[in-house]
Structures are given as structure tokens and as C-alpha cells.
Amino acid sequence: MNFPLPNLGPVMPEILMTAFALIILLIDLLIKRKEIVALVSIAGVALIALSLVGSSGATFGGMYIADGYSMFFKFIFFINVILSVLISMKYIIIEKVNYGEYYSLILFSTIGMMIMASAADLIVLYLGLELMALSTYVLAGFIRHEARSSEAALKYFLLGAFSSAFLLYGISIIYGLTGTTDISAIAAFISEKEGLSSNSALLLSVLMLTVAFGFKIAAAPFHMWAPDVYEGAPTSITAFMSVGPKAAGFAVLGRVFMIAFASVKLDWTTILAILSILTMGIGNIVALSQTNIKRMLAYSSIAHAGYALLGVISANNEGIASMMNYLMIYAFMNIGAFSVIIMLRSEGFRGENIHDYEGLAKHHPLAAALMLIFMFSLTGIPPTAGFIGKLYVFLAAINAGYTWLVVIAVIFSAISAFFYLRIVMFMYMRDPKMEVTLTKSPGTGIVIGITTVAVLFIGVFPSYLLNFAKEAIKGLF
């Protein structure tokens, strides 16, 4: 009996990445210098990124799709991996957790994100989400000798299992109503079945999926895990988590809600609008009182999820493209900020309290100037990329009729200036209480260089990235 082989072209980047992650595990057994493992990981990921260009189409009976939309997010994941590995090389030596499996776990987590971005079926989406989450749980607790790291991993695992239950419950209701888990088939069934788009059970399933995706993007009120996990996890992994899983969460949120629930648009846009207000409000207001910079950036990350949600709420091509544009920009400015934090980490000194930045400009003017650029960008001050990111999601929301929501977003964005610019004020207007020694490394230097150039280039020439995002979603919705 002959079985036809599926078309492996669309899934080839994931196959290569899986094989490569396993090879990294073997290389780790043979090489004592883990910096070489890190460099091999970066080279491999860069080569696999080239295979994204040639992978397109659907496979496995249409359950898996490689299109422009998924490719855009996969580029974010790959950039995130490369930058996170570079800032990890010196950092995990200082933290005394210089193990090769660290890099394999990052790769396995990225494979999960790639599957999520390409999932055209809810079961495939779930498999990708679990692969991403299980690897990230371990990475959050990678500093095993520190109680706060173990606590972060445990909290992340428990709340992650909680969100998975909501996701499966939502999927089971959808399957019960439509008889399928295929995203396009769900959309067709809902539009053809009279009265189903206003069915209360369908609305319940939308709520269940909103809870599950809300957890992954750290949207309020499902954000409770983020501050503790961001603080307890290794700083390099905090940077990795703040970009990759969040972008993967938005990838599935956009595809599922824009395609499967297209005919119940009013219901889910209303739910997401409420979620966005809560997310921006809690993220920005609670960040005001934070004294630990990792916790402050955790709440900042929550607030930025609220801004990005404006693009999804717009529920049109312009909105989705602005959301994708925003996430790419967020990757550069957030990893840049974490890179400076990592530079302050040395033997016996964490550099995580915001008072540690007092007078930084006096002894380390370049580091202070770079942090200033990233803080300005996170605030949304021109001519940085952060301004462009916010501008386009705000314009998309206004064009979709959500001017009132943009007014609220602008107010919260103005509030955020206090805690971002407080860091700048500490660096430039306070005298240093101690002399901070920076831990410099080639990897961190390269990341800071790349992220700084990206933040300024996109801020001055925004059309290249936005046009890339617009091209990526042509014909999708």
C-alpha cells in the first residue's frame, strides 16, 4: 500500500530548525566552550532564515500554511533568537549557568512559535503553543540555584497550564458547534449557518480563546504572571520572552479572530477593546511605582500589548499591518533596553534597581545615551521607531472608527513618559552613589549596535518596514 508523502516545502524551515536544535544538543556534548555552541546556533538560525523565502503554500491537508503573514512573524522570531543568544553568551557565564542546552531550549521554543504562526488548524495551534511554552518554562527557571528563578518557572507553568485549559475548552466548544477545527472551515460554517454568529455558545468560545491568547500576550487581567516571571527569569530570557511569545500570541490572535470569527466581528472587537483599555491602564499605572527595572519593563510590556491590540481591533488590513509593524519595532527597542541592563550585571551586582542608574551618564556616557534612545523609543518620542509604531496603530484605529479608544491610548502613553523618562533623569540629573562597572562583551555590543541603528533607521525611514508588513498580508483576510 502506497501512502502519498505530504508536501514538505511549506514546513521545511521548521524541519531544519528541529534537526538543528537536536544537533546543538549533540554538539554540546562534544564541545566544552559553550560560546562556540552559541555561535553555531546563531549561524544555523541565520542560514535557516534563508529557507523562509522559498517556503510557501499549504500542507498536511491545509492544516499548516506558509504565507507572507507567517513569514513576517518568523522573521521576528529569528531576529529575537539571534539577538537573545548574543546577549546571553557572557551573561549566563556570570550567572554560572553556562550550559549548552540553554541554546537548544531557545531553539525548541522558537519552533513552537513558528508552528503557531503557520497554524491553519486549532489543534496545530495548540501543539505549537505547548512546545513554545514548555521550553520557556524551563528557561525561566534556568538559574536553578536562585529561588526567585525557580519561583518564576513554577508560577509561569501553573498559569500557563491554566490558560491551556481555557484554550482547549474554547476549541472543544467550537468543534461541537461546527464539527471542525480548521480555521477557514470554521469561518465558512459560521457564515453559512443562520443564527450561529450570534449563538451564546460561540460567544463563550470566543471568550475562552481570548483568555488563552490574552495570557500569551500578557494582556490584563491575564497579566499576573508577567512581573514575577520577568523579574525571576534570567535577564536574557526575559528579553527573549518579552518579544517571541508575545509576537506568537499576536500571530494566532490575528489569524484566528480575523478569519475564523470574521462574521462575529462586533462581538470580539468589543471584547478586545475592553481588554486593550485594561491592558494599557494597568500596565502604565502600575509601572509608575516600580523600582526594579525588570518589573517596570514587565508592566511596560503589558502596556505595549494594549497598544498593539488597537491594530487587531481595527479588524482590517491596515490595522493588522500596523500591529505587525509595531511588534517588529518593539523587538528592537525592548531587546536594546535589556542589553543595557545586562551590561550592568557583574559579579555580586545585579543592576536591576532603577537607583543603580543614578549618575550613569557621568561614568559611562555612551551606555547612558543608548539607554536614553531606547527609553525615548519605548515612550514614543520622535524620531525613534517607537513613535512610528504608535502612530500607525493609532491611525489604523482612527480610520476604523475607534477615535475614542485612541484618545484613551494617547493619555496612557503620556502617563508612561513618567516612568521611562525617570530612568533618563536618574542617569543625567542625579549624582552617582557608587561607580558602576559595565560588563562589556562583543555579543552585547553587536546587539546594542543593531538595535540602536534599527530604532533610529525605522524612526526616520518608516515606509520600508510598513510596506513589508502590508505586502505580507496581501490576500490573507
Side-chain angles (χ1 to χ4, degrees):
M1 185 177 291
N2 294 323
F3 293 98
L5 282 175
N7 175 18
L8 297 180
V11 77
M12 190 52 69
E14 287 78 358
I15 292 173
L16 293 173
M17 187 70 109
T18 305
F20 185 63
L22 295 171
I23 290 170
I24 288 294
L25 275 178
L26 293 176
I27 291 175
D28 177 44
L29 297 174
L30 304 173
I31 298 177
K32 289 185 178 178
R33 290 190 62 190
K34 305 308 175 191
E35 299 92 329
I36 296 175
V37 180
L39 292 174
V40 173
S41 301
I42 292 167
V45 170
L47 288 174
I48 293 169
L50 298 176
S51 67
L52 287 176
V53 180
S55 64
S56 62
T59 187
F60 300 120
M63 297 172 73
Y64 202 88
I65 186 166
D67 52 10
Y69 180 75
S70 62
M71 187 177 74
F72 187 95
F73 280 99
K74 287 173 189 175
F75 274 122
I76 295 179
F77 305 150
F78 281 27
I79 289 169
N80 186 36
V81 171
I82 292 172
L83 298 183
S84 298
V85 170
L86 280 169
I87 60 175
S88 298
M89 292 169 64
K90 181 71 175 179
Y91 175 78
I92 62 174
I93 294 173
I94 295 171
E95 294 289 358
K96 298 182 175 59
V97 288
N98 190 21
Y99 306 119
E101 60 265 33
Y102 174 91
Y103 302 107
S104 290
L105 286 166
I106 287 179
L107 297 181
F108 281 121
S109 179
T110 304
I111 296 164
M113 297 173 203
M114 295 166 72
I115 293 172
M116 288 172 70
S118 281
D121 186 281
L122 296 178
I123 300 300
V124 176
L125 184 161
Y126 173 73
L127 293 174
L129 187 147
E130 286 303 302
L131 177 57
M132 175 194 76
L134 289 171
S135 306
T136 317
Y137 299 151
V138 180
L139 287 168
F142 208 76
I143 308 178
R144 286 170 290 183
H145 53 271
E146 281 193 6
R148 68 172 191 164
S149 187
S150 301
E151 182 185 339
L154 183 60
K155 184 170 284 188
Y156 195 25
F157 169 72
L158 291 174
L159 291 175
F162 183 71
S163 76
S164 294
F166 273 93
L167 178 61
L168 287 175
Y169 190 36
I171 292 173
S172 66
I173 294 173
I174 293 169
Y175 183 76
L177 290 171
T178 65
T180 181
T181 52
D182 183 282
I183 291 173
S184 298
I186 291 168
F189 192 91
I190 293 173
S191 62
E192 291 170 5
K193 188 80 172 177
E194 191 175 346
L196 185 57
S197 61
S198 56
N199 187 292
S200 57
L202 185 67
L203 181 59
L204 179 63
S205 70
V206 172
L207 282 171
M208 295 294 107
L209 294 190
T210 304
V211 172
F213 298 154
F215 176 88
K216 292 303 170 194
I217 64 173
F222 317 112
H223 67 286
M224 298 80 75
W225 60 275
D228 291 341
V229 174
Y230 274 43
E231 183 183 4
T235 305
S236 52
I237 293 304
T238 305
F240 175 77
M241 288 168 55
S242 69
V243 173
K246 189 182 288 292
F250 271 101
V252 295
L253 185 68
R255 194 187 290 277
V256 172
F257 280 58
M258 285 291 291
I259 296 177
F261 301 134
S263 55
V264 285
K265 194 176 288 181
L266 180 62
D267 290 328
W268 65 258
T269 52
T270 305
I271 294 169
L272 291 187
I274 296 168
L275 206 67
S276 175
I277 295 170
L278 284 173
T279 304
M280 291 185 289
I282 292 175
N284 284 311
I285 292 171
V286 181
L288 296 173
S289 60
Q290 301 304 311
T291 55
N292 181 295
I293 196 164
K294 287 172 71 177
R295 288 186 75 87
M296 188 206 83
L297 288 176
Y299 283 104
S300 152
S301 168
I302 293 164
H304 282 281
Y307 302 132
L309 272 175
L310 294 178
V312 185
I313 293 164
S314 302
N316 54 35
N317 282 13
E318 183 189 8
I320 297 298
S322 68
M323 175 268 284
M324 295 159 69
N325 183 58
Y326 194 92
L327 292 170
M328 182 71 88
I329 289 170
Y330 181 73
F332 287 119
M333 59 188 182
N334 211 45
I335 292 180
F338 274 108
S339 301
V340 178
I341 296 171
I342 281 179
M343 284 175 66
L344 263 69
R345 178 74 170 100
S346 57
E347 293 284 352
F349 182 72
R350 289 189 187 282
E352 294 178 8
N353 193 300
I354 61 170
H355 293 284
D356 296 335
Y357 292 78
E358 290 180 345
L360 186 68
K362 187 172 183 179
H363 296 297
H364 304 288
L366 180 59
L370 294 167
M371 194 61 158
L372 176 144
I373 291 171
F374 297 129
M375 291 296 112
F376 274 20
S377 188
L378 286 165
T379 310
I381 296 174
T384 60
F387 169 74
I388 297 299
K390 284 185 181 176
L391 177 67
Y392 283 120
V393 290
F394 289 173
L395 287 176
I398 289 171
N399 292 336
Y402 289 96
T403 305
W404 60 274
L405 192 53
V406 172
V407 171
I408 295 172
V410 169
I411 292 170
F412 283 129
S413 185
I415 292 172
S416 75
F418 176 82
F419 57 84
Y420 289 128
L421 299 186
R422 184 172 53 165
I423 301 292
V424 176
M425 186 270 286
F426 278 6
M427 291 190 300
Y428 285 92
M429 299 181 184
R430 292 277 181 91
D431 293 325
K433 290 181 179 175
M434 66 182 91
E435 186 173 349
V436 175
T437 303
L438 296 183
T439 302
K440 299 176 183 176
S441 70
T444 308
I446 292 169
V447 172
I448 289 179
I450 292 172
T451 51
T452 305
V453 169
V455 163
L456 295 177
F457 181 82
I458 297 170
V460 178
F461 304 102
S463 58
Y464 295 104
L465 179 58
L466 187 66
N467 290 338
F468 179 32
K470 286 179 177 175
E471 285 293 321
I473 60 168
K474 271 188 177 175
L476 182 63
F477 306 117

